[in-house]
Amino acid sequence: MWILIAALLLSTADDTGVTAKKLDGTTISGTLQSWQDGQLVLATPAGPQQIAEADLLMIQRSVPPASSASTDTRKPAVELVDGTRFPLAEFSTTGGKATIVPRMGSIGGSDQPQPLLIDLKKIKSVSLQSMSEALVSQWQEILATSNAADSATPSDLLVVVKRGGQSLDYLEGVIGQVTDRDIEFTHDGSSARVSREKVAGLIFYRANPPSDEPPRCVLTGTDDLIIRGANVRLDGENLQIATASGATVRWPSAEIASADFSAGKLVFLSDLKPALRSWQPLVALPASATHAATLGLPRFDHSAFGGPLSLWYPDGDQSPALGHAESFAKGLALRSRAEVVYRLPRGFNRFTAVVGIEPVTRSNGDVMLTVMGDDQSLWEHPVTGHDPPLPIELDIAGVKQLKIVVDYGKNLDTGDWLNLCDARIVK
């Protein structure tokens, strides 16, 4: 039970404002007054507002804590097997345990950060040096290699800096004791101690992947802090957090910016594999035009022109040409005439999205959009480039198959790229 987790958003008396976003899309802003027995209470100008945990998507502090992280480098960090990530100042191991001292900038300026003692088996990787964007890319590639299911050798990886800090390489072996000066490493039967100055990071071999069960809550904070929590309780000014992998950590509530409760409650359509996706051009293509036959197929999480999905919001009613485009990270781009069919997982009750014509083609775009549930029409509406974006919210309780059809409008297929943004199913 998430009792008193509210304290993670109450860092100081000067900054207690929070915004709670609910599953139904509504938001409530105020001061977090209490949170216990699965209920939170926000003090608002209209009076106390009670919100059930099960109805929450997100809680965010009105003024997030400042971060000391550089914008062009990734600073040292420890990553657990469940995806939890701690900003790092010091790291050492002994007797199967890792001692982690959080980076000073990530704990609200405290002079004596509290060390974290974590079972070494719960640690996936440790980056020991700041890395440029190019080195981060190489680090991620090495991590992917170590996690490959067909990895030839089950071994730890010692990642070293080469070419004066311009590139990374790695050795396979067994990582031993880590001190503040060096790292014990066994390679081809020979053991040596490697100076930490030469080591970019450590990647530990983990034979058993963590459970796919979503965390109860994902906490985010300063300096790329991510904690995938299974349980959280307040202990003074700190949070006592049990992570999804079973590690127990303490973290200052002042450094938590948000608590995300959406895991398992919300799924974007673009993250589901469609049972069917098709496109039928207005003029039939010859059988040999295999490449052209794919040009109008639905796109996922990017527009027909390669950039992010976006919608045009007019600034007023006088002239649709005056306005601004807003981008969306998730959604579908669909050309007439297209169909996408999804088999829905159980337990989801609502389908929501925001729809409009791709801004690049909005002068000519004109389509008929139909959303169907188990072959019954749930929503049908013309969409043109002259309309402001349309919000959609549909009851899909009990629906097993969701079909989205974008058909030709009055301009046939001219400019008919429709963006279905933030398309998601919600419990």
Side-chain angles (χ1 to χ4, degrees), residues 289-313:
T290 56
H291 176 69
T294 66
L295 296 179
L297 284 174
R299 318 291 174 87
F300 304 96
D301 295 338
H302 63 84
S303 76
F305 304 95
L309 291 162
S310 60
L311 296 175
W312 183 262
Y313 285 81

Side-chain angles (χ1 to χ4, degrees), residues 36-253:
Q36 57 184 350
D37 298 330
Q39 303 286 328
L40 68 88
V41 177
L42 283 184
T44 75
Q49 300 290 319
Q50 190 173 43
I51 311 171
E53 236 179 50
D55 295 334
L56 272 174
L57 278 178
M58 174 78 73
I59 304 173
Q60 290 180 303
R61 282 178 46 189
S62 301
V63 180
S67 175
S68 65
S70 171
T71 57
D72 57 356
T73 61
R74 174 79 67 83
K75 292 190 175 181
V78 174
E79 184 175 350
L80 305 188
V81 294
D82 60 22
T84 292
R85 177 184 170 87
F86 302 118
L88 177 67
E90 300 176 22
F91 180 85
S92 61
T93 68
T94 183
K97 298 286 185 179
T99 300
I100 300 166
V101 178
R103 188 162 59 247
M104 294 292 288
S106 67
I107 58 169
S110 171
D111 292 331
Q112 296 182 343
Q114 293 293 318
L116 310 175
L117 189 63
I118 295 179
D119 190 331
L120 197 55
K121 294 180 180 179
K122 301 185 185 302
I123 295 178
K124 174 183 175 181
S125 66
V126 185
S127 58
L128 296 170
Q129 296 189 24
S130 295
M131 297 185 191
S132 65
E133 184 177 345
L135 289 186
V136 169
S137 178
Q138 294 179 42
W139 171 258
Q140 296 295 342
E141 289 179 7
I142 296 172
L143 272 174
T145 299
S146 72
N147 295 331
D150 58 352
S151 180
T153 57
S155 58
D156 300 331
L157 302 182
L158 183 76
V159 183
V160 296
V161 181
K162 297 183 66 178
R163 297 176 56 210
Q166 300 302 307
S167 65
L168 302 178
D169 202 351
Y170 65 90
L171 295 172
E172 297 179 348
V174 179
I175 297 171
Q177 184 184 27
V178 179
T179 71
D180 59 352
R181 294 183 178 182
D182 53 33
I183 298 163
E184 182 183 10
F185 189 68
T186 301
H187 174 66
D188 286 342
S190 298
S191 181
R193 304 202 69 87
V194 183
S195 171
R196 284 184 55 153
E197 294 181 355
K198 300 178 181 179
V199 179
L202 312 171
I203 300 175
F204 296 92
Y205 172 73
R206 299 294 175 237
N208 300 315
S211 169
D212 291 333
E213 184 177 349
R216 291 278 301 278
C217 181
V218 178
L219 310 174
T220 59
T222 58
D223 292 359
D224 296 325
L225 171 70
I226 301 173
I227 305 180
R228 299 172 65 85
N231 195 9
V232 178
R233 67 178 177 85
L234 177 66
D235 184 9
E237 295 183 355
N238 297 303
L239 298 174
Q240 191 78 16
I241 308 168
T243 75
S245 61
T248 300
V249 302
R250 288 167 57 87
W251 208 268
S253 59

Side-chain angles (χ1 to χ4, degrees), residues 236-398:
E237 295 183 355
N238 297 303
L239 298 174
Q240 191 78 16
I241 308 168
T243 75
S245 61
T248 300
V249 302
R250 288 167 57 87
W251 208 268
S253 59
E255 300 304 320
I256 302 297
S258 67
D260 185 347
F261 293 87
S262 65
K265 299 178 182 178
L266 174 154
V267 177
F268 288 98
L269 289 191
S270 56
D271 291 333
L272 293 174
K273 183 178 181 180
L276 171 70
R277 65 171 185 145
S278 65
W279 169 60
Q280 177 184 331
L282 182 64
V283 178
L285 297 172
S288 59
T290 56
H291 176 69
T294 66
L295 296 179
L297 284 174
R299 318 291 174 87
F300 304 96
D301 295 338
H302 63 84
S303 76
F305 304 95
L309 291 162
S310 60
L311 296 175
W312 183 262
Y313 285 81
D315 288 342
D317 298 330
Q318 301 300 319
S319 174
L322 299 177
H324 63 282
E326 291 188 10
S327 297
F328 297 81
K330 307 294 294 183
L332 289 71
L334 305 165
R335 182 172 176 80
S336 61
R337 181 184 191 274
E339 290 189 10
V340 185
V341 178
Y342 291 95
R343 295 188 181 95
L344 299 183
R346 294 181 181 180
F348 288 85
N349 299 314
R350 292 185 304 112
F351 168 72
T352 67
V354 184
V355 63
I357 297 296
E358 160 65 41
V360 174
T361 65
R362 64 189 177 86
S363 60
N364 294 312
D366 189 323
V367 303
M368 179 63 70
L369 173 62
T370 303
V371 181
M372 305 180 70
D374 295 335
D375 294 325
Q376 300 294 318
S377 178
L378 303 178
W379 191 87
E380 186 175 23
H381 202 285
V383 182
T384 77
H386 302 290
D387 303 321
L390 295 171
I392 302 174
E393 182 165 350
L394 303 175
D395 183 355
I396 58 168

